[in-house]
Amino acid sequence: MRVGLIVDSACDLPYEFRRKHDLFVLPITATIDHQTYIDEHDPVRTQEFYQSGLLQKGHHAETQAFTAEQIHDLFMERIVSQFDVAICETVTRSRSLIYQNASAAMNTVMAQYREVRDAAGVEGSFSMRVIDSKQIFAGQGLLAAHTLSLLDKGLSKNALRHEVESFTDRIYTCVIPRDLHYIRERARRRGDKSVSALVAFLGRALNITPVIFGQGAEGQPVAKTRNFEVAVEKVINYAIGRVEAGLLTPYVSLSCGLSWPEIEELPGINRLRDACERQGVELLLSQMGITSSIYLGPGSVCLALGAERHHFNDFQ
């Protein structure tokens, strides 16, 4: 039985990791200064965007999910004849229409796949499942890595679905937005009033950088720091402490909206590498994709890990 894992462009993972495990990336449409781009998480295109400055806050940028019809066509062309079972994990449905559109596409695919498989000479039935990751960015990447480890165990389809869906509630995410004003503007365009203008103003005027922490996409500020470097150190210290205390899956996912030289200069990054190596944990370090950079703003950082219930300050 050939099993394929599908993620969308909001899922941040190292390119080599995605290529090694043959992950299929469901694209997202990005519109920047009225120019439309298809974000397939291609590392060369991503690097071009960082170098061009197109992701800076002065540019009007939006993202849009592929329609159900577009996703249907992709599944029929690229998935149905290649796999016997497909699992599609999407960015949290509370922040995007991808889950809704992928679910609608799945229903039409299941009604029409037989003709495509017959034409390709592929025997047997096809099934698929769309799962709401309840995560964003690095958290979505962590779930994908954990899912791949579950696939290696040869679980039944029902057992696999149960394990994946249960694990979505065990993922903890830290986000460091580089510019609260950018976050506020992006939220305003989406009609999301959760980030007030006052908070954005204070963050800009006083150079306050918050650390947002929680399960999945629903986080709360747990620290306010005077600069980005201090915020990064707090998150790195948290991650090291949690790694040493034990994780539920041997991965830590860290995505950064920075150039690679800037990523390598993050305070504590080598301490985190060393802690992961000592504990047999793989650090999934990636450059934040176009979609996640547009959402959080350039220069932001997102870290995710799977663990038992705990609080951020337990590891400070």
Side-chain angles (χ1 to χ4, degrees), residues 3-21:
V3 182
L5 180 59
I6 304 166
V7 297
D8 58 49
S9 293
C11 177
D12 284 335
L13 277 170
Y15 172 70
E16 290 300 326
F17 185 89
R18 287 190 287 111
R19 188 175 71 168
K20 174 183 176 181
H21 295 284

Side-chain angles (χ1 to χ4, degrees), residues 108-175:
T108 56
V109 166
M110 292 304 297
Q112 302 172 20
Y113 76 80
R114 179 61 65 185
E115 183 177 344
V116 172
R117 284 174 72 88
D118 287 346
V122 179
E123 298 180 354
S125 61
F126 171 81
S127 65
M128 72 179 304
R129 179 80 178 186
V130 177
I131 296 175
D132 175 10
S133 74
K134 302 180 186 176
Q135 310 299 317
I136 55 172
F137 319 139
Q140 200 178 348
L142 184 79
L143 181 64
H146 182 65
T147 302
L148 290 168
S149 69
L150 292 173
L151 289 174
D152 290 339
K153 295 181 179 180
L155 301 177
S156 69
K157 287 187 291 185
N158 288 338
L160 177 64
R161 181 189 67 196
H162 173 74
E163 290 290 333
V164 170
E165 291 180 341
S166 296
F167 190 72
T168 61
D169 295 322
R170 317 295 286 280
I171 297 175
Y172 289 82
T173 303
C174 298
V175 173

Side-chain angles (χ1 to χ4, degrees), residues 222-288:
V222 291
K224 291 192 296 183
T225 65
R226 286 292 182 178
N227 60 63
F228 177 74
E229 287 72 22
V230 173
V232 170
E233 280 199 290
K234 281 185 172 292
V235 169
I236 294 293
N237 289 339
Y238 156 77
I240 291 172
R242 189 61 257 189
V243 166
E244 292 175 344
L247 301 175
L248 296 177
T249 194
Y251 302 101
V252 170
S253 179
L254 176 60
S255 65
C256 310
L258 302 162
S259 68
W260 280 109
E262 290 171 323
I263 292 173
E264 291 300 330
E265 292 176 0
L266 287 173
I269 188 67
N270 287 326
R271 288 193 296 116
L272 178 57
R273 281 194 176 106
D274 292 342
C276 287
E277 185 175 353
R278 287 195 304 270
Q279 300 298 325
V281 171
E282 183 174 356
L283 177 61
L284 300 172
L285 179 61
S286 64
Q287 191 173 47
M288 197 171 276

Side-chain angles (χ1 to χ4, degrees), residues 11-79:
C11 177
D12 284 335
L13 277 170
Y15 172 70
E16 290 300 326
F17 185 89
R18 287 190 287 111
R19 188 175 71 168
K20 174 183 176 181
H21 295 284
D22 196 26
L23 296 188
F24 180 87
V25 178
L26 182 61
I28 293 173
T29 300
T31 303
I32 303 175
D33 288 349
H34 308 295
Q35 293 288 325
T36 299
Y37 306 87
I38 302 301
D39 179 14
E40 296 179 297
H41 234 303
D42 175 77
V44 175
R45 171 55 65 89
T46 300
Q47 191 61 34
E48 289 173 354
F49 270 67
Y50 277 96
Q51 293 173 346
S52 69
L54 280 173
L55 296 177
Q56 298 301 316
K57 65 189 177 202
H59 296 268
H60 183 83
E62 300 288 346
T63 57
Q64 184 176 14
F66 264 33
T67 66
E69 291 76 16
Q70 288 175 305
I71 298 174
H72 167 93
D73 291 344
L74 275 174
F75 285 171
M76 294 291 277
E77 293 170 8
R78 307 278 298 278
I79 301 298

